[in-house]
Amino acid sequence: MFPAAHADGEEHESERAAFQAQVKAETQGQLDPALIDMMLAQIEVNLAKHKRDERLASIRERLPDLRLRRAALEIAARIIRADGKLHEDEVVFFESAASALGIEPAVAKAILDKSADG
C-alpha cells in the first residue's frame, strides 16, 4: 500500500520508512535494504503511470481474500499516520482505498482510528 505514502501529494521520509519497515518485517529481514529501495523506486515509477482507481482495482484483483485486503488497508493506515499527521487528502485516499477494496466504511474508520494508537 505504498500509494498511501503519496496520498497527500508529498513524500514524507517517515512514511517511506514505515513502508520499508513493513516490507522488511513481511520478508523476515531477508531482503537487502538496497533491493527494497529499488523496489520503491519502481513502485514510484508505476504510481506516475497509472491512475489511483486503476491501482486500487489492481490491488483488489491481486488480493481476492477480504482478510488480505483488510490487512493491506491496515498497513496503509499505519503508513498514512507515520508522520504523525492526518491530512484531508490522506483521509480521502484511505476512504477510496477502503471502498475499492470492499471494506465497509465503519470498519475502515475503525482501522484508521486504531492506527492513531500506535
Side-chain angles (χ1 to χ4, degrees):
M1 291 302 290
F2 189 67
H6 292 269
D8 62 358
E10 299 176 20
E11 180 181 327
H12 299 278
E13 186 54 39
S14 55
E15 292 170 339
R16 186 180 187 85
F19 186 81
Q20 289 170 319
Q22 184 67 40
V23 171
K24 185 175 181 180
E26 294 295 325
T27 61
Q28 299 174 354
Q30 297 200 20
L31 294 181
D32 184 85
L35 179 57
I36 294 172
D37 286 340
M38 286 181 6
M39 289 170 44
L40 290 178
Q42 184 59 48
I43 291 170
E44 289 170 334
V45 167
N46 287 335
L47 286 177
K49 288 182 181 178
H50 303 283
K51 294 179 181 177
R52 178 183 291 175
D53 293 343
E54 292 172 1
R55 294 189 312 260
L56 292 172
S58 173
I59 291 168
R60 183 174 179 145
E61 287 175 15
R62 289 179 280 142
L63 298 176
D65 186 286
L66 180 61
R67 292 172 298 175
L68 293 175
R69 295 193 308 265
R70 182 181 169 141
L73 197 64
E74 289 170 356
I75 293 166
R78 285 195 302 270
I79 291 169
I80 286 171
R81 295 266 194 185
D83 65 354
K85 301 172 188 167
L86 186 60
H87 299 275
E88 184 177 337
D89 292 340
E90 291 171 324
V91 173
V92 170
F93 166 81
F94 189 81
E95 290 171 349
S96 66
S99 177
L101 296 176
I103 307 295
E104 294 290 327
V107 172
K109 183 180 180 332
I111 291 169
L112 190 58
D113 290 346
K114 182 181 176 189
S115 69
D117 298 334

